[in-house]
Amino acid sequence: MVKPETDSTSRLPLTPAVFHVLLALAGGERHGYAIMQEVAQSTDGQIKMGPGTLYGTVKRLLAAQLIAESDERPDPQLDDERRRYYRLTGAGEAVVRAEARRYADIVTIARGKKLIGKTAIVSLPGGCP
Amino acid sequence: MKPESRAHEFPLSQMIYGRLLLAYPRLHRMEYGAAMAQLFRDQCREAWNESRNWGLLKLWLQVLPDLASTSIMERLAALKERKTMTDKLASLFGFRVTPAGTFFRVFILVFLLVLITSVAITFILPESYASTARIKIESDAPTANSQPPAYDSYFIQTTFEVIRSQPVLEAVINKLNLDVEWGKKYLNGEKLQTSATVELLRQRLQLAPVKNSGLISITVYSDDKNEAAEIANAIAESYQNYRVQIRKEVTGDAIDALQEQYRDQEKRIREAQAEVEVLGQPSTGQATSYLDKTRELDNLVEFHKTLFSKIEDKKLEAALPGPAFQIIDRAEPGHAPVKPNKPVDIVLGAVAGIFLASGAGTASAFLSFFAGRRLRKNPAVA
């Protein structure tokens, strides 16, 4: 479980599921189904989260205060009021930035060793781009 | 929501998923159960719009492992957070420990898991069609006093082996171009080796005697109903050709002997005719000998004719499969697949589910009973 801590780097590395949920929420508030769709779309369908994985991850992220439940709806008229929306907290944003930087550093190392080209897209464990 | 999706609220899938949520700890269910059910409903709509029932099946195959693994993780996580043994057991089983309640819940959970798995497997398995041709066979060997031949298991078994033999099946493969057609299916378009095709064909072929008759059924299984019928008929015809060939070889020897006799008879007729011509001249004065020789010549000519008709009969006999072989029923494409037998498989899955669920439920009930008794005897454990 991700524990609430102040230092964002101490939480790294994140599990693929946690990283992808945080990445999805970096684009704005989303409900569970929208998060799942965003993750599937951004990974070209390589990662398809089931309800159990998604809400297990959400539960841990809420406990770690990396995300929070949002009271406001983007458009209450158009949406099901039972849906629960989630948003990134400040700590969550810091963590997802730190994890993205960590991946970027890994890509730089791999390029230095000529394992990948400058334009190559790599698939890291868990399908992370 | 699209109107098409609105028409499909997937009550069965939702009901089953709702029951399966019992696998999660109670607190987790209270907090996220409704959201998970709603997310599952959204996934059902998406899967349905994508590829109807096949989409729903794929969704279930994705959701079931997810549910199994995450429910165990949540239970273990809940277990760690509990301080007392009672609470630990309660979080493990999802309710306060009572043997009857434990049995009931574990029974429902295991039964549904086994049933859903058997249904999923039944629908995933490829469909197989069967077509059967029936042939009448009897030994070519003549039987005493024209009695119908008795059942001869040795002859039947020999016939089976002949039908399954390389020459008979190779003729079928060549006729239907099976090495190319199956190569497209199973070897990315490359032509299969004949030996491999023969082996595949043998695996799909089932031979059986029809009870209390001289009939044999030739059954062929295939994922294509027309192909199954074509192969079954081709095997019957190939075996028929094989019998004709064998008869030709056997009768060929008899024809050779008869022809030899025929030629010999011709020679004797020519000699007799010469003698008759000499004896018939008026100067010889041997009227009696002339009449005898003429009769002998007539007999020779008559026998010569008999030999000719015998040879013709043998030639005709060699060209026909004979009454000892007959295709009684030609194979027709099946209307419905024979494998998997969906109703039977689902019923078997339900029966297996009841047995497994009873075992798991009983074991869980005993566990909860003895754990509860231990707690009552020694409260310090908690």
Side-chain angles (χ1 to χ4, degrees):
Chain A
M1 182 184 289
V2 184
K3 292 175 182 172
E5 289 179 35
T6 49
D7 184 6
S8 55
T9 55
S10 65
R11 302 173 195 270
L12 306 185
L14 301 177
T15 63
V18 167
F19 185 43
H20 280 294
V21 170
L22 291 177
L23 274 180
L25 291 176
E29 295 182 1
R30 280 181 170 77
H31 53 71
Y33 184 53
I35 294 171
M36 195 203 73
Q37 283 183 312
E38 169 80 20
V39 172
Q41 200 178 353
S42 63
T43 60
D44 271 344
Q46 285 185 41
I47 293 186
K48 286 181 180 173
M49 285 185 168
T53 304
L54 180 70
Y55 280 101
T57 307
V58 163
K59 179 182 171 183
R60 284 153 185 74
L61 290 173
L62 284 170
Q65 295 168 12
L66 297 182
I67 64 171
E69 200 164 335
S70 179
D71 296 329
E72 293 182 9
R73 299 289 152 92
D75 189 348
Q77 297 295 319
L78 296 175
D79 205 8
D80 187 338
E81 61 178 13
R82 290 170 301 177
R83 287 196 191 279
R84 294 161 71 170
Y85 278 73
Y86 302 96
R87 61 176 170 78
L88 272 186
T89 60
E93 196 174 331
V95 167
V96 73
R97 277 179 194 280
E99 182 70 339
R101 271 199 299 274
R102 194 176 70 81
Y103 276 119
D105 291 343
I106 292 170
V107 170
T108 307
I109 293 166
R111 278 189 184 141
K113 294 183 183 296
K114 295 186 178 172
L115 292 172
I116 52 170
K118 285 189 177 179
T119 55
I121 298 169
V122 293
S123 289
L124 292 175
C128 303
Chain B
M1 194 191 302
K2 291 179 185 174
E4 188 186 15
S5 309
R6 197 185 292 275
H8 299 280
E9 290 297 329
F10 319 105
L12 181 63
S13 287
Q14 284 188 59
M15 187 270 284
I16 294 170
Y17 189 74
R19 295 284 184 275
L20 291 175
L21 284 176
L22 289 171
Y24 290 94
R26 197 168 65 89
L27 284 176
H28 186 83
R29 233 169 35 234
M30 285 171 65
E31 186 66 27
Y32 299 104
M36 289 167 74
Q38 190 174 27
L39 175 56
F40 177 72
R41 193 161 52 241
D42 290 335
Q43 285 184 303
C44 282
R45 282 195 200 107
E46 188 182 319
W48 176 261
N49 290 335
E50 199 176 295
S51 46
R52 299 294 190 261
N53 283 325
W54 177 240
L56 282 180
L57 179 62
K58 281 199 290 185
L59 174 64
W60 270 110
L61 290 177
Q62 180 199 334
V63 162
L64 282 176
D66 175 74
L67 188 139
S69 61
T70 55
S71 62
I72 291 169
M73 279 170 54
E74 293 301 334
R75 290 229 171 256
L76 291 176
L79 197 65
K80 278 184 188 172
E81 289 168 8
R82 298 290 179 258
K83 289 175 182 171
T84 67
M85 180 61 84
T86 312
D87 284 345
K88 281 182 190 294
L89 286 170
S91 67
L92 193 63
F93 293 115
F95 48 92
R96 284 284 161 187
V97 183
T98 62
T102 305
F103 178 86
F104 178 71
R105 292 189 185 209
V106 171
F107 182 91
I108 293 288
L109 184 66
V110 174
F111 176 73
L112 284 176
L113 277 174
V114 174
L115 184 62
I116 289 166
T117 307
S118 69
V119 170
I121 289 171
T122 302
F123 279 88
I124 288 170
L125 284 174
E127 291 182 337
S128 177
Y129 293 85
S131 284
T132 301
R134 292 200 304 167
I135 57 172
K136 183 184 174 190
I137 53 156
E138 284 164 17
S139 172
D140 280 328
T143 53
N145 55 33
S146 304
Q147 288 297 312
Y151 179 82
D152 182 351
S153 62
Y154 181 76
F155 172 66
I156 295 278
Q157 191 57 41
T158 306
T159 304
F160 283 179
E161 293 308 316
V162 171
I163 293 175
R164 295 172 66 86
S165 69
Q166 186 114 355
V168 172
L169 296 185
E170 258 186 33
V172 175
I173 290 164
N174 293 335
K175 183 183 178 188
L176 301 177
N177 215 12
L178 288 179
D179 39 8
V180 174
E181 293 301 321
W182 287 356
K184 286 178 193 167
K185 274 187 190 176
Y186 309 118
L187 206 63
N188 300 322
E190 282 183 45
K191 189 178 173 183
L192 282 174
Q193 286 188 342
T194 306
S195 58
T197 315
V198 167
E199 203 46 49
L200 267 178
L201 188 51
R202 279 185 187 139
Q203 287 170 10
R204 293 166 175 217
L205 173 62
Q206 190 181 51
L207 302 169
V210 178
K211 267 190 176 178
N212 304 322
S213 72
L215 304 185
I216 283 180
S217 65
I218 300 172
T219 304
V220 174
Y221 295 91
S222 171
D223 54 359
D224 179 342
K225 53 186 172 186
N226 294 318
E227 185 186 72
E230 280 175 9
I231 295 174
N233 289 329
I235 290 173
E237 286 160 10
S238 176
Y239 178 64
Q240 185 176 33
N241 294 338
Y242 173 84
R243 295 275 297 232
V244 169
Q245 190 62 34
I246 294 295
R247 280 177 80 86
K248 267 184 186 170
E249 285 170 14
V250 171
T251 51
D253 293 342
I255 290 169
D256 288 346
L258 283 171
Q259 280 177 336
E260 181 65 32
Q261 208 175 347
Y262 182 77
R263 281 191 291 274
D264 185 51
Q265 199 67 16
E266 275 181 333
K267 192 180 161 191
R268 289 177 67 185
I269 288 171
R270 276 194 299 274
E271 287 169 2
Q273 276 174 338
E275 283 182 42
V276 166
E277 277 175 21
V278 172
L279 291 171
Q281 288 175 4
S283 58
T284 56
Q286 297 180 357
T288 313
S289 300
Y290 171 76
L291 285 175
D292 289 344
K293 208 60 178 173
T294 307
R295 270 199 296 276
E296 187 187 330
L297 178 61
D298 287 343
N299 288 338
L300 286 171
V301 169
E302 196 58 38
F303 188 53
H304 182 257
K305 281 180 186 170
T306 308
L307 279 175
F308 179 79
S309 77
K310 267 190 179 178
I311 291 169
E312 289 304 305
D313 285 350
K314 280 286 174 194
K315 281 182 180 173
L316 188 64
E317 188 184 321
L320 294 172
F325 181 91
Q326 206 178 344
I327 297 178
I328 302 294
D329 292 321
R330 292 186 66 78
E332 295 291 337
H335 296 295
V338 290
K339 292 177 189 173
N341 190 332
K342 287 172 185 165
V344 172
D345 289 353
I346 291 169
V347 168
L348 285 177
V351 172
I354 289 170
F355 276 106
L356 285 172
S358 301
T362 307
S364 305
F366 269 110
L367 185 63
S368 67
F369 172 75
F370 286 115
R373 199 169 65 169
R374 189 172 168 223
L375 279 175
R376 281 192 296 276
K377 279 185 180 173
N378 185 11
V381 174

